[in-house]
Amino acid sequence: MGHGLNNTLQDIVVRYHRMKGDNTLWVPGTDHAGIATQNVVERRLKKEGLRRQDLGREKFLEQTWAVKKEHHEIISKQQRKLGNSVDWNRERFTMDEGLSKAVRNVFVTLYERGLIYKGNYLVNWCTSCGTALADDEVEHEDTNGAMYHMYYEIADGSSIPSVTMEDGTVFPGGNKIEIATTRPETLFGDTAVAVHPEDPRYKSLIGKSVKLALTDKIIPVVADSYVERGFGTGVVKITPAHDQNDWEVGKRHKLPIVNILNPNGTLNENVPEKYRGLSTKEARKVVVEDLIAAGLFKEEEKISHSVGHCYRCHTVVEPYLSEQWFVKMRPLADKAYKAWQDGEIVFYPRKWENTYQRWLENIRDWCISRQLWWGHRIPVWYCQKCGEMIVSRTDPDSCPKCGCGAEHLKQDPDVLDTWFSSWLWPFSTLGWPEETADLEKFYPTTALITAYDIIFFWVSRMIMAGLEFTGKAPFRDIYMHGLVRDKQGRKMSKSLGNGLDPLELIEEYGSDALKFTLGFLCAQGQDVLVDKESFKLGSRFANKIWNASRYILGNLEGRTLQPVTDNDLTELDRWIYGRLDIATCNVRSALESYRYNDAAQNLYEFFWNDFCDWYVEATKLSFRHGDEAEKDRAVSVLLNVLEESLRLLHPYLPFVTEEIYGKLPLEEITENRAKAAASQGCCQSSPLKILPCTEYCGMLIAAPYPLSQEARKDEKVAARFTVLQDVIRSVRALRAECGLSPDAKLNIAILVTPGSSAEVCKEKSDMIQLLANVAEIDFTEQKPQRAIGAVGEGYEAFLLVDGSINVEQLLARFKKELANEQAFADKVTAKLSGKFAQNAPAEIVAAEREKLEATKRRLEKLSSYIESL
């Protein structure tokens, strides 16, 4: 569903700009998803009792390419079903020949610029995937765990003195120190303990040594301001090979670095033999048991703490000392930061600028090597004879130092992080590093539309790569949409059983229903909360468009379409063109600033309410009572408005609008527009001026998007029609109030204030009769007896209680409701006069008072109805 939302938003904006006449390109493609794809293949092998090493690299990659093909076909099918208007001729894959060439070029160029280096550093290690991870590929989650308190004895047998602290508490001193840790099994990698240099409790201990528990090792006590005096015991075990902060302390104090883990997460040869081969979880249990037996364990304290997990397989990530390749990020980040400061990139919504800024300010070097087989192989070779390292854009055929042949050159076994190819996407897909016509024409691109959860992985890095290799930011607009969640705000997952399959939704409701619903619900800065029922919104709207269009096309039989000029437009026609203009203006404004929900809501409001419920219904007067010429005129205007409405709707509902558009008599519409334009000189102030007078391909996807036109604004017409709508709604509300069927023909009276805008009711009484389903209207000068009324601006409307209404039934209905409302009012009054008002929160009390006031207003209205009857 997340991809469904993302693809939908891209398709809407691409279709909109294409119809605007912009030169538009949307390149489809996929990345190779290194860790995820390799995991799929390895899981399949595991079911057969095999490991990748059993197949060897070449055969394993053959199977991985087959899995890639399988998943690519699924992805392509989904995108085609969704109706993505991409250029399939330009489809790319991160491991195709052109993009692979770009990846090599970038690696070598960065190496030549001193921005790529190799070294032994502490990295995030996934023991399940068997590879290093970048910092932003580690997901931190609050996890239940424990703090283990243990003792290290002072090596020379001396004791530290007791100390009275500033708050009066006494530190007892003694011949051992207490240390608290969440990872007791890592004590075998400790190469020091650290205290704060100004902590009075441990000043005498600085420079001495302690015995490393469960071993015969002696380790020093160092002073470092990294230690927080007020946290825990004020003593920290330093394990440089297995903690990032300890790594930094170790560098400052030149401490030995002892790695105690194998790549698979078991303890290695650097621990006592008893613990070798145990997993970290198994070792923790045994270590605690042995500390208890040695009298060096104090207690276990249950806590909740943040633990890093692999973003792909969810295994707990281990800090691990390993030789890896890194990119120096600070020089790249500084350029990306400046591009934002200079306004070269703009975030929608703006709040994501703060996230972007903070990440760039605190950026660390990017570990780009992965211990996988699936991916771009690192373009580095090592000479087996002389040890020379060769970094090359092409496969070398000899060693440049000793001259030996290619058979003595061994390529680095690691591959590059998937994001190392994805960060080049905006320009590599257009042919870079070659200077292609596409690159000249489409780069830099206009917009990136993506979820906020990959702002670090992808967005920021693409900006860095674009600036570094092309000198330009790769896009201007960055729209960050929310995540798709269920109605309770939970992430969709298999374990919760709350996931939705877009293909199943398309099968049941149609692609347009899916796309319109997602667009309608996608508000800037918010996640999208949906369940299966949500998509009925889009389904009902698509059906409304279909049925309204079918009704209009059904009225074409026996009709002759006419050129429609300004003089042919009725007041009703001018009103709908005014509403269409407002909708066009609002939708364009919303789409230009990526307010997808605002655009969708304006489309819905215009087509369903203004066009269908009011305009189409009101034009039935022409078809019922007009002569043949009036019917021809009315259906011609209807078709014009429908055609333009379909163009307005198309980016959100491309399938249904394109299908209907193909059924319109476009040649006649276009020809008649040309004649009308010629007859009135294509007047610039005409409400019809923007309707195209020339041919286009006849497909809606390439039709011009509607423009807002000043000439369509008519405040006088809008005000008159607003009054009519208000009167009709009042009559409908009175009908509902009395529980009368919408089909029942009623008699009403309207008292119009002389000189008010409501005078229009007398001119348009036939429209009121039609749309309010009224038999007779009496324009009266005083309030009639035995009538139920509603007051509006400049008028009072009355439902006449005559022979068409059963008065006794109506009285009984109102009296029953009056009794119920009075009982509720008495209950709330009693509640507010008791202890509730004194003890309940102020906002709850205020809500109850508002309920009471609303009930009193309802009681007054019901009493007036009963009095009138």
Side-chain angles (χ1 to χ4, degrees):
M1 281 306 302
H3 288 109
L5 171 65
N6 179 256
N7 279 234
T8 291
L9 300 182
Q10 292 184 77
D11 193 49
I12 289 170
V13 80
V14 163
R15 287 179 183 272
Y16 165 66
H17 281 279
R18 184 185 294 118
M19 293 178 76
K20 270 181 67 184
D22 294 333
N23 201 1
T24 306
L25 174 65
W26 181 10
V27 177
T30 46
D31 68 53
H32 57 279
I35 295 175
T37 309
Q38 179 152 324
N39 277 346
V40 169
V41 182
E42 293 206 63
R43 281 197 299 270
R44 292 183 182 182
L45 290 175
K46 191 174 182 180
K47 289 178 182 177
E48 300 172 21
L50 297 171
R51 301 176 308 139
R52 60 174 156 137
Q53 290 81 1
D54 297 325
L55 269 69
R57 189 165 194 146
E58 190 174 332
K59 288 196 173 178
F60 178 81
L61 288 177
E62 284 177 13
Q63 290 205 16
T64 313
W65 276 103
V67 167
K68 175 264 172 189
K69 183 175 183 292
E70 174 188 326
H71 282 266
H72 175 263
E73 287 172 357
I74 294 169
I75 292 167
S76 295
K77 179 186 175 185
Q78 289 173 330
Q79 292 182 333
R80 290 177 188 273
K81 275 287 202 184
L82 197 57
N84 292 351
S85 57
V86 301
D87 187 342
W88 286 106
N89 294 323
R90 284 182 166 89
E91 185 179 9
R92 304 304 299 269
F93 174 55
T94 49
M95 284 178 64
D96 67 27
E97 186 179 349
L99 270 64
S100 295
K101 180 180 178 182
V103 167
R104 275 205 181 187
N105 192 308
V106 164
F107 183 95
V108 177
T109 302
L110 289 175
Y111 180 79
E112 291 167 348
R113 293 176 183 176
L115 295 175
I116 279 185
Y117 64 94
K118 188 180 186 183
N120 257 312
Y121 292 93
L122 205 61
V123 297
N124 306 296
W125 187 265
C126 176
T127 57
S128 176
C129 297
T131 184
L133 302 173
D135 291 339
D136 36 28
E137 292 174 319
V138 179
E139 295 180 344
H140 291 273
E141 298 176 6
D142 287 337
T143 306
N144 292 327
M147 185 71 78
Y148 300 89
H149 294 255
M150 57 189 184
Y151 298 110
Y152 284 1
E153 296 173 307
I154 299 171
D156 61 6
S158 62
S159 296
I160 50 177
S162 63
V163 176
T164 302
M165 307 299 287
E166 289 182 1
D167 61 0
T169 59
V170 177
F171 173 67
N175 64 353
K176 56 188 177 184
I177 55 174
E178 182 184 339
I179 291 173
T181 179
T182 59
R183 305 282 308 273
E185 72 280 5
T186 63
L187 69 84
F188 302 115
D190 290 2
T191 54
V193 295
V195 297
H196 194 280
E198 296 174 8
D199 191 331
R201 295 172 294 179
Y202 305 113
K203 273 200 171 182
S204 65
L205 191 60
I206 296 170
K208 292 191 174 185
S209 299
V210 294
K211 295 178 182 178
L212 184 58
L214 308 183
T215 74
D216 55 3
K217 292 183 180 179
I218 304 295
I219 58 175
V221 178
V222 300
D224 198 288
S225 56
Y226 152 70
V227 180
E228 294 182 47
R229 283 176 282 181
F231 182 77
T233 64
V235 183
V236 177
K237 61 192 283 298
I238 303 300
T239 321
H242 299 287
D243 182 275
Q244 187 61 49
N245 293 317
D246 293 2
W247 170 265
E248 298 298 332
V249 173
K251 283 200 295 185
R252 286 195 289 274
H253 296 275
K254 296 182 173 57
L255 298 175
I257 298 168
V258 179
N259 174 28
I260 65 164
L261 292 179
N262 293 310
N264 65 359
T266 59
L267 273 61
N268 65 17
E269 71 282 356
N270 291 327
V271 304
E273 190 171 350
K274 176 180 181 179
Y275 308 100
R276 293 173 191 170
L278 297 179
S279 69
T280 52
K281 189 175 181 180
E282 293 166 339
R284 186 175 306 167
K285 182 182 177 184
V286 177
V287 164
V288 169
E289 289 172 353
D290 290 351
L291 286 170
I292 293 170
L296 297 174
F297 190 80
K298 181 182 179 183
E299 61 182 344
E300 178 182 328
E301 174 191 356
K302 296 297 181 185
I303 62 166
S304 176
H305 62 136
S306 181
V307 177
H309 293 77
C310 173
Y311 82 116
R312 280 300 183 189
C313 70
H314 218 61
T315 301
V316 172
V317 167
E318 294 286 351
Y320 184 74
L321 185 65
S322 177
E323 190 174 42
Q324 303 288 343
W325 288 94
F326 296 85
V327 175
K328 289 182 182 177
M329 297 299 279
R330 175 50 55 201
L332 304 178
D334 288 344
K335 292 179 183 178
Y337 190 90
K338 186 175 184 301
W340 165 67
Q341 285 185 316
D342 292 347
E344 293 177 43
I345 53 175
V346 180
F347 284 86
Y348 297 86
R350 298 297 287 264
K351 69 175 185 177
W352 292 109
E353 292 179 355
N354 299 325
T355 305
Y356 178 78
Q357 178 185 2
R358 283 196 305 273
W359 189 70
L360 290 180
E361 288 173 345
N362 299 292
I363 201 161
R364 291 166 59 177
D365 287 355
W366 174 18
C367 176
I368 57 171
S369 46
R370 297 290 179 271
Q371 288 63 55
L372 306 171
W373 286 355
W374 174 245
H376 294 100
R377 192 91 173 257
I378 290 177
V380 174
W381 290 260
Y382 305 94
C383 180
Q384 302 300 291
K385 285 201 168 184
C386 70
E388 177 74 357
M389 185 176 78
I390 306 151
V391 181
S392 175
R393 290 175 177 81
T394 56
D395 291 6
D397 51 17
S398 63
C399 174
K401 185 176 181 181
C402 70
C404 67
E407 69 275 11
H408 297 291
L409 303 180
K410 185 177 180 182
Q411 189 173 1
D412 195 304
D414 291 350
V415 300
L416 290 162
D417 180 4
T418 300
W419 298 106
F420 194 86
S421 51
S422 296
W423 75 328
L424 312 178
W425 188 263
F427 52 91
S428 64
T429 53
L430 298 175
W432 188 94
E434 307 301 326
E435 295 182 6
T436 64
D438 274 1
L439 194 64
E440 174 69 24
K441 191 173 190 178
F442 294 111
Y443 188 87
T445 69
T446 309
L448 170 73
I449 298 169
T450 188
Y452 64 74
D453 56 344
I454 54 174
I455 188 171
F456 311 128
F457 291 121
W458 196 36
V459 180
S460 304
R461 289 176 182 161
M462 279 194 289
I463 295 167
M464 294 180 202
L467 291 166
E468 183 68 20
F469 294 102
T470 72
K472 299 172 185 176
F475 29 72
R476 182 192 68 228
D477 299 342
I478 304 167
Y479 174 71
M480 313 291 290
H481 62 76
L483 306 182
V484 182
R485 299 179 183 272
D486 69 12
K487 285 286 191 177
Q488 286 75 50
R490 302 173 301 178
K491 271 192 173 184
M492 291 188 173
S493 67
K494 289 180 182 177
S495 58
L496 291 173
N498 61 351
L500 295 171
D501 184 342
L503 290 185
E504 290 179 6
L505 292 168
I506 290 170
E507 187 66 30
E508 184 167 352
Y509 298 115
S511 169
D512 287 345
L514 177 80
K515 294 170 86 165
F516 184 79
T517 301
L518 290 174
F520 191 91
L521 297 175
C522 186
Q524 275 194 16
Q526 298 177 28
D527 287 338
V528 179
L529 308 186
V530 292
D531 58 16
K532 192 174 181 180
E533 289 292 302
S534 305
F535 296 94
K536 288 183 178 178
L537 166 75
S539 178
R540 285 192 292 265
F541 190 47
N543 284 338
K544 186 74 170 179
I545 296 166
W546 181 264
N547 290 332
S549 302
R550 186 171 60 177
Y551 163 77
I552 294 168
L553 291 170
N555 275 301
L556 288 179
E557 189 174 350
R559 302 267 61 88
T560 302
L561 297 182
Q562 299 178 343
V564 180
T565 66
D566 294 353
N567 294 331
D568 299 318
L569 298 181
T570 64
E571 190 172 32
L572 175 64
D573 298 331
R574 291 187 177 276
W575 174 79
I576 194 61
Y577 272 118
R579 298 302 299 169
L580 177 56
D581 187 77
I582 291 170
T584 298
C585 186
N586 290 342
V587 170
R588 275 179 165 267
S589 173
L591 288 178
E592 292 291 342
S593 53
Y594 305 95
R595 291 180 288 110
Y596 290 95
N597 63 317
D598 289 345
Q601 285 162 18
N602 273 278
L603 291 171
Y604 187 94
E605 179 70 25
F606 167 74
F607 194 86
W608 193 302
N609 295 333
D610 295 336
F611 183 65
C612 293
D613 289 356
W614 292 100
Y615 181 69
V616 173
E617 289 299 314
T619 59
K620 289 178 181 178
L621 286 171
S622 294
F623 295 113
R624 289 180 185 178
H625 308 301
D627 57 20
E628 294 304 305
E630 169 56 17
K631 290 176 183 176
D632 289 344
R633 186 209 66 80
V635 79
S636 297
V637 178
L638 262 174
L639 268 179
N640 274 334
V641 179
L642 174 63
E643 188 273 344
E644 194 168 342
S645 299
L646 291 173
R647 287 191 273 129
L648 192 68
L649 293 163
H650 178 73
Y652 279 82
L653 300 109
F655 282 110
V656 70
T657 53
E658 189 74 76
E659 180 70 13
I660 296 165
Y661 205 74
K663 297 180 184 299
L664 298 183
L666 287 174
E667 288 186 14
E668 288 184 75
I669 292 173
T670 305
E671 184 180 335
N672 283 328
R673 283 177 183 163
K675 289 178 181 177
S679 70
Q680 58 187 18
C682 218
C683 176
Q684 290 298 306
S685 63
S686 165
L688 300 174
K689 189 268 293 186
I690 72 153
L691 300 176
C693 301
T694 56
E695 297 261 0
Y696 43 87
C697 75
M699 287 193 69
L700 184 53
I701 191 172
Y705 202 72
L707 288 165
S708 174
Q709 281 294 304
E710 191 64 32
R712 290 184 171 182
K713 297 172 174 63
D714 192 324
E715 292 182 7
K716 183 180 177 182
V717 168
R720 281 163 59 82
F721 207 83
T722 297
V723 174
L724 281 174
Q725 287 178 306
D726 194 35
V727 170
I728 293 164
R729 289 192 186 104
S730 295
V731 175
R732 289 172 177 172
L734 288 172
R735 182 193 293 271
E737 185 89 307
C738 297
L740 301 173
S741 166
D743 298 327
K745 288 283 186 182
L746 305 175
N747 297 321
I748 67 170
I750 301 177
L751 194 162
V752 176
T753 304
S756 72
S757 57
E759 293 274 13
V760 68
C761 295
K762 296 177 181 178
E763 299 173 39
K764 306 290 184 183
S765 59
D766 55 347
M767 191 180 296
I768 297 173
Q769 281 181 279
L770 174 69
L771 298 181
N773 195 22
V774 169
E776 297 291 339
I777 301 177
D778 177 24
F779 287 96
T780 182
E781 294 182 1
Q782 59 183 11
K783 179 180 176 181
Q785 294 190 349
R786 289 176 71 83
I788 297 170
V791 179
E793 189 174 341
Y795 73 90
E796 286 184 73
F798 301 96
L799 186 62
L800 300 177
V801 182
D802 53 20
S804 63
I805 296 175
N806 187 318
V807 179
E808 295 306 317
Q809 281 187 2
L810 195 53
L811 267 171
R813 174 189 175 90
F814 288 149
K815 286 178 179 178
K816 181 179 179 182
E817 188 179 350
L818 183 74
N820 290 337
E821 292 289 343
Q822 187 61 58
F824 181 75
D826 293 343
K827 180 181 175 182
V828 176
T829 301
K831 189 176 183 180
L832 289 170
S833 60
K835 292 184 179 180
F836 169 81
Q838 300 169 13
N839 301 329
E843 62 272 14
I844 294 178
V845 174
E848 290 297 311
R849 292 192 195 282
E850 178 53 39
K851 285 181 191 176
L852 182 60
E853 290 304 312
T855 305
K856 286 179 179 178
R857 291 192 293 271
R858 182 64 181 159
L859 285 168
E860 287 177 12
K861 182 174 279 191
L862 289 168
S863 297
S864 72
Y865 289 164
I866 292 168
E867 185 181 347
S868 296
L869 293 176

